[in-house]
Amino acid sequence: MAFRRVLAVTAAACGLAGGSVLLSSVAIGKQQQVAVSKAGGDAPDPASPPPPASPPGLLLLPSPAASCPAAPGWLERNNGACGYWDSNWDRREPVALINLKKKNEETGEQELSSRLDHYRAKATRHIFLIRHSQYNLDGRSDKDRTLTQLGREQAELTGKRLASLGLKFDKIVHSSMTRASETTNIISKHLPGVKKVSTDLLCEGAPIEPNPPISHWKPEAVQYYEDGARIEAAFRNYIHRADIKQEEDSYEIFVCHANVIRYIVCRALQFPPEGWLRMSLNNGSITHLVIRPSGRVALRMLGDTGFMPPEKITRT
């Protein structure tokens, strides 16, 4: 009973009430229990010195590194610590762009500060990720997967919504797939003068094996290997803080696909990318990411279709 009371009080104090807790060790008075691995781990050697005693009632949890899954080959995680924000995630942190070994020893910190200011971004980037509109699912090839009549109406509504924001958009980058290109052409009618750029990097694919897995969608392992590297390349190429030469804030539109957008959101927020399939996006929806000069990232909107009448909303 004493053990249960101590555990309940400690868990509640840590905000863990109602959840499952893994105990590394629990010390109560002079008694101590040491957890042994259920996967065949050896019990402590009686001849070895006992582990250091913990204060009565202390609940010890495993370190974050022990609970984080291993990252895929193309991802990098600092110290394996969950919840850690990597300030140099886009490799554009000022201190990472200069050679500290060349610092002038006479001027010291003054020169270093001046050099850091030179490499520091000044502007904020606004990234608008648009999912393509509804398309013909029966098409056998990409060129046959054209927008449906409803899909064209959705694209019109999305274009009107973007135009109503009153922002000076710099460009529209879109996937080269038919449904994304057609969506872009309709949207661009409402944004005259904004240049369009097509790229294969933003094409649909399987970015990374989702966790938890789902039974009705299981691409081959090679598809994750090929598509994942390409979609990660799209993220690194397009999602980063502003260039140091950029003086004013920018507003950019990217028209692509649900899998690509969900993966990009996870990576930009430094959430586990394996969770991308836990999000759902409507056709023609708008997702808004903000990247500050400091490298901090904020999600303003995720899959917004509030500008569409309910009967026009689909998720195919």
Side-chain angles (χ1 to χ4, degrees):
M1 291 299 293
F3 170 78
R4 292 180 181 176
R5 284 197 300 270
V6 171
L7 178 58
V9 171
T10 309
C14 295
L16 299 172
S20 60
V21 180
L22 176 63
L23 299 178
S24 294
S25 65
V26 177
I28 304 175
K30 294 183 179 180
Q31 297 179 350
Q32 186 175 40
Q33 299 175 353
V34 180
V36 179
S37 171
K38 292 183 179 179
D42 296 329
D45 184 357
S48 62
S54 302
L58 177 63
L59 176 66
L60 299 180
L61 298 176
S63 65
S67 60
C68 286
W74 63 83
L75 299 181
E76 301 169 10
R77 289 183 181 167
N78 289 274
N79 304 323
C82 292
Y84 174 86
W85 179 259
D86 178 12
S87 298
N88 194 33
W89 62 275
D90 58 353
R91 299 303 181 265
R92 286 169 169 81
E93 188 71 10
V95 73
L97 298 177
I98 62 176
N99 188 345
L100 295 177
K101 293 182 179 180
K102 294 183 178 180
K103 188 178 84 169
N104 188 318
E105 297 298 336
E106 296 181 0
T107 57
E109 296 299 326
Q110 182 178 358
E111 184 203 10
L112 176 60
S113 177
S114 175
R115 294 173 66 192
L116 288 175
D117 286 340
H118 175 73
Y119 286 100
R120 189 168 283 113
K122 309 174 188 65
T124 295
R125 292 185 69 205
H126 293 263
I127 307 293
F128 291 83
L129 299 161
I130 314 298
R131 190 193 174 194
H132 60 77
S133 302
Q134 186 190 67
Y135 68 102
N136 176 24
L137 293 171
D138 296 327
R140 300 186 63 181
S141 63
D142 176 62
K143 67 178 181 178
D144 299 323
R145 296 178 185 132
T146 56
L147 296 186
T148 63
Q149 177 58 37
L150 176 56
R152 288 190 286 274
E153 293 175 15
Q154 291 170 338
E156 291 281 358
L157 291 168
T158 303
K160 291 178 181 178
R161 173 59 176 169
L162 290 170
S164 73
L165 298 177
L167 301 174
K168 183 182 177 182
F169 290 104
D170 297 88
K171 60 182 176 181
I172 303 177
V173 182
H174 64 90
S175 156
S176 58
M177 299 185 81
T178 300
R179 53 190 182 272
S181 297
E182 290 188 339
T183 300
T184 299
N185 291 335
I186 295 173
I187 289 176
S188 65
K189 292 190 305 180
H190 301 276
L191 301 170
V194 180
K195 66 178 180 180
K196 297 178 290 184
V197 180
S198 177
T199 177
D200 294 336
L201 288 179
L202 291 173
C203 289
E204 184 63 300
I208 189 173
E209 191 168 358
N211 186 13
I214 58 174
S215 57
H216 63 278
W217 188 73
K218 288 191 174 183
E220 298 292 334
V222 68
Q223 188 174 349
Y224 286 121
Y225 182 77
E226 295 175 351
D227 291 351
R230 172 180 55 78
I231 297 173
E232 171 66 15
F235 170 79
R236 297 192 183 197
N237 192 52
Y238 295 117
I239 311 300
H240 51 76
R241 74 191 78 183
D243 186 88
I244 57 175
K245 296 179 181 179
Q246 182 177 325
E247 297 289 340
E248 299 181 356
D249 295 352
S250 58
Y251 301 86
E252 304 157 60
I253 298 173
F254 294 82
V255 182
C256 49
H257 309 267
N259 294 358
V260 178
I261 294 172
R262 292 181 285 188
Y263 178 81
I264 285 176
V265 168
C266 287
R267 289 283 285 115
L269 298 178
Q270 298 190 26
F271 292 163
E274 299 87 354
W276 63 273
L277 203 49
R278 303 172 201 172
M279 293 180 279
S280 185
L281 299 176
N282 294 334
N283 295 113
S285 61
I286 301 175
T287 295
H288 182 187
L289 282 171
V290 178
I291 308 177
R292 300 294 184 190
S294 63
R296 299 289 179 89
V297 181
L299 180 63
R300 291 275 183 89
M301 289 188 295
L302 177 64
D304 176 39
T305 49
F307 52 88
M308 293 186 185
E311 66 273 10
K312 302 293 184 182
I313 296 176
T314 60
R315 191 173 61 251
T316 56

